[in-house]
Amino acid sequence: MGTWQSAVSLLAETARMAGSAASPGGPEILGNAAAAPGLAGPASPQDLLAARTQMALSLGWHIVLACLGVGMPALILLVEWRAIRTGDDAYMRLARQWATAIGVLFAAGAVSGTILSFELGLLWPAMMGVYGQVIGLPFAAEGVAFFVEAIFLGIYLYSWNRVPPKAHLLTGLPVLIAGTASAFLVVCANAWMNTPRGFTGTGSVVRDVSPWRAMFNPAVPHETLHMIVAAFMVSGFLVAGVYAAGMLRGRTDRHHRLGFLVPFTLAAAFTPVQVVVGDWAGKEIARLQPAKLAAAEALFQTRAGAPLSIGGIVSGDRLHYSIEVPKALSFLAHGSFDAVVQGLDRVPRPDRAPVGIVHLAFDLMVAMGFGLLLLSAWLAWSWWRRRETPRSPWFLRLAALSGVAAVIAVEAGWTVTEVGRQPWTVYGHMRTSDAVNPAPGLWNGFVIVTLVYLVLTVVTLYVLRLLRRAGRPIAPQEPERAPAPEPR
């Protein structure tokens, strides 16, 4: 699903307008807030907090819909392919129900994505003014991917029974491809903020700009793969959780069993892959951003044979009440039990991330991930033994919560990525305090955006609930027909 629909020209213009409003000096203020003489002055700590909180709210809300925009098209195409292959109407009914839902979710995601695109320029004009020319390529390409996704989603939704079944299935493939491409391109931009490349110079002037080198920076492989796999997990577990909750209420017909088993199996298949990708990402962070790894593990002292700390509370420069696995961090980070792992003692105190938040988020992400792995293994074991889902009601109870756990894991992972980079917006080049809009009153914008998201949440859930209550597995503009009775 498109995260930022506008191309870099819109972002740059928004940044220019925001900068002009903040200072009588006009457009020349674009640049590092600490260096550009046209700025009215640095933002207050309260306004900086408002900008960061608003961005966190927007990203945290949108990331769930972005995950569904990647994973749900795959689920829909999978069940529609099974319907065409087997002639089983139960699969087709699922495909139509999920297609109707994704139409609603796509509309909500388009709204939140548009908000995000303007927030980049309005909240962070210095970053976009200076570095927009460097990192504009993935934003522009994402705009193209978003429009391709929107066009083919419209074709897919409105062509039920108007084209042959196989042709209709093929119209959904661009939706899946474009949605995945959108996620890839947006994460490319975020990866650049963690490992900036493709330019020389710092402050308010950059030179020797190479957009391709910036886009394919060293953090791209592990960040993009980590996010895309997470998107399939979130989609699968969330959809399966809805049907698991229905089955707990006694709805054990074939429709609910398939509605649970198909998405849960897809998500379960991606879960061990995510564990491997996560291990790789941790090694890359140890190499590219050792200060972030030190914050995630609350490692305050550089040491050989560093232990892996599980849990605990950060107080001052110490981690209390944690469970330590001797030498495990050295092995996980560098492949050797005696390897040296950099601690926070080598990071100047003003350059340290908020250790308590990052460590808690990292532990939460790992805990949710391994919990989902165990739940997936439970299903695999039962299916291997009896060719059926586990009979224990506790399995369905946990499965009903699996979607929430997957969302928590994604939100926690993005907290590690974003908060762990602080105090930098562009790592090592521009601080967040220098990138923020210096205009006063940013809390007003935060309140307005919060109300918008509250209304958007209520409306989206209300429409989805209406569709479920109406029991309408039909596509838009298609004549209603009574569904055929399902075999039990």
Side-chain angles (χ1 to χ4, degrees):
M1 185 172 293
T3 305
W4 289 297
Q5 293 88 337
S6 54
V8 69
S9 58
L10 175 60
L11 295 172
E13 178 63 16
T14 305
R16 184 192 69 78
M17 293 171 63
S20 299
S23 165
E28 71 272 7
I29 60 89
L30 289 177
N32 190 307
L39 281 176
S44 68
Q46 293 78 13
D47 283 328
L48 175 60
L49 177 61
R52 292 184 62 189
T53 306
Q54 180 177 332
M55 202 71 186
L57 171 66
S58 298
L59 285 170
W61 200 95
H62 183 76
I63 195 63
V64 178
L65 295 184
C67 288
L68 293 172
V70 173
M72 280 202 69
L75 288 172
I76 294 168
L77 293 178
L78 177 60
V79 291
E80 185 178 3
W81 171 76
R82 288 290 298 165
I84 295 171
R85 183 180 177 88
T86 64
D88 191 336
D89 190 61
Y91 285 110
M92 187 60 72
R93 185 182 177 199
L94 285 173
R96 296 191 177 197
Q97 283 186 330
W98 295 348
T100 304
I102 200 175
V104 176
L105 296 172
F106 184 88
V111 175
S112 61
T114 301
I115 293 173
L116 275 168
S117 69
F118 280 100
E119 283 177 340
L120 282 175
L122 292 172
L123 297 180
W124 316 104
M127 184 191 77
M128 296 310 302
V130 176
Y131 295 107
Q133 59 182 315
V134 181
I135 199 56
L137 179 60
F139 287 124
E142 197 276 340
V144 175
F146 169 78
F147 285 117
V148 170
E149 183 183 11
I151 290 168
F152 278 93
L153 180 60
I155 294 172
Y156 183 83
L157 290 176
Y158 286 94
S159 61
W160 291 100
N161 292 345
R162 292 173 171 83
V163 298
K166 291 183 179 179
H168 181 265
L169 180 67
L170 291 176
T171 64
L173 286 177
V175 180
L176 173 60
I177 295 169
T180 305
S182 288
F184 173 83
L185 291 163
V186 168
V187 178
C188 281
N190 180 267
W192 174 84
M193 295 167 72
N194 288 300
T195 56
R197 299 290 190 276
F199 66 95
T200 59
T202 188
S204 59
V205 179
V206 294
R207 300 178 297 276
D208 304 323
V209 174
S210 174
W212 287 105
R213 186 165 175 260
M215 179 173 167
F216 294 102
N217 58 82
V220 162
H222 65 269
E223 274 204 36
T224 54
L225 187 58
H226 201 38
M227 182 61 223
I228 290 171
V229 173
F232 285 106
M233 289 177 60
V234 168
S235 300
F237 284 126
L238 268 179
V239 175
V242 173
Y243 289 90
M247 293 172 72
L248 284 170
R249 297 187 182 100
R251 300 171 186 168
T252 56
D253 54 274
R254 190 163 183 271
H255 173 72
H256 278 79
R257 292 198 304 271
L258 284 177
F260 167 76
L261 193 58
V262 172
F264 193 92
T265 302
L266 180 69
F270 275 102
T271 302
V273 176
Q274 186 70 311
V275 173
V276 175
V277 174
D279 176 70
W280 172 41
K283 288 179 169 60
E284 289 298 295
I285 291 173
R287 179 175 67 90
L288 298 169
Q289 292 180 286
K292 179 183 287 188
L293 179 68
E297 287 293 337
L299 184 67
F300 288 94
Q301 298 295 323
T302 301
R303 56 189 295 187
L308 179 69
S309 299
I310 303 173
I313 300 173
V314 175
S315 178
D317 285 350
R318 292 190 62 186
L319 179 64
H320 303 272
Y321 314 117
S322 64
I323 300 173
E324 292 190 351
V325 182
K327 298 188 176 184
L329 180 58
S330 289
F331 178 77
L332 291 174
H334 300 292
S336 170
F337 288 107
D338 297 318
V340 175
V341 180
Q342 177 181 315
L344 291 168
D345 56 335
R346 293 190 181 178
V347 181
R349 194 169 292 275
D351 293 345
R352 295 182 185 179
V355 182
I357 296 174
V358 179
H359 179 66
L360 175 62
F362 182 75
D363 280 352
L364 192 59
M365 175 187 68
V366 173
M368 294 297 104
F370 275 97
L372 293 171
L373 180 65
L374 291 175
L375 191 62
S376 302
W378 191 354
L379 174 67
W381 172 258
S382 177
W383 196 262
W384 179 67
R385 291 288 302 275
R386 298 188 298 268
R387 288 296 186 273
E388 63 180 19
T389 57
R391 297 171 182 173
S392 170
W394 275 107
F395 175 79
L396 284 180
R397 293 188 185 107
L398 294 174
L401 296 174
S402 63
V404 177
V407 169
I408 291 173
V410 167
E411 300 286 5
W414 276 102
T415 300
V416 173
T417 299
E418 297 301 289
V419 180
R421 191 180 61 245
Q422 299 303 316
W424 304 99
T425 292
V426 181
Y427 191 70
H429 291 270
M430 179 177 283
R431 291 180 180 271
T432 306
S433 57
D434 294 334
V436 70
N437 193 332
L442 294 186
W443 277 113
N444 296 329
F446 168 74
V447 172
I448 294 172
V449 168
T450 301
L451 292 175
V452 170
Y453 279 120
L454 180 61
V455 172
L456 194 58
T457 301
V458 172
V459 171
T460 302
L461 294 177
Y462 177 73
V463 173
L464 290 174
R465 187 176 179 85
L466 280 181
L467 291 173
R468 183 183 66 82
R469 281 185 171 181
R472 296 183 62 184
I474 59 175
Q477 294 188 358
E478 188 173 343
E480 250 184 281
R481 294 187 300 268
E486 296 179 1
R488 291 181 176 265

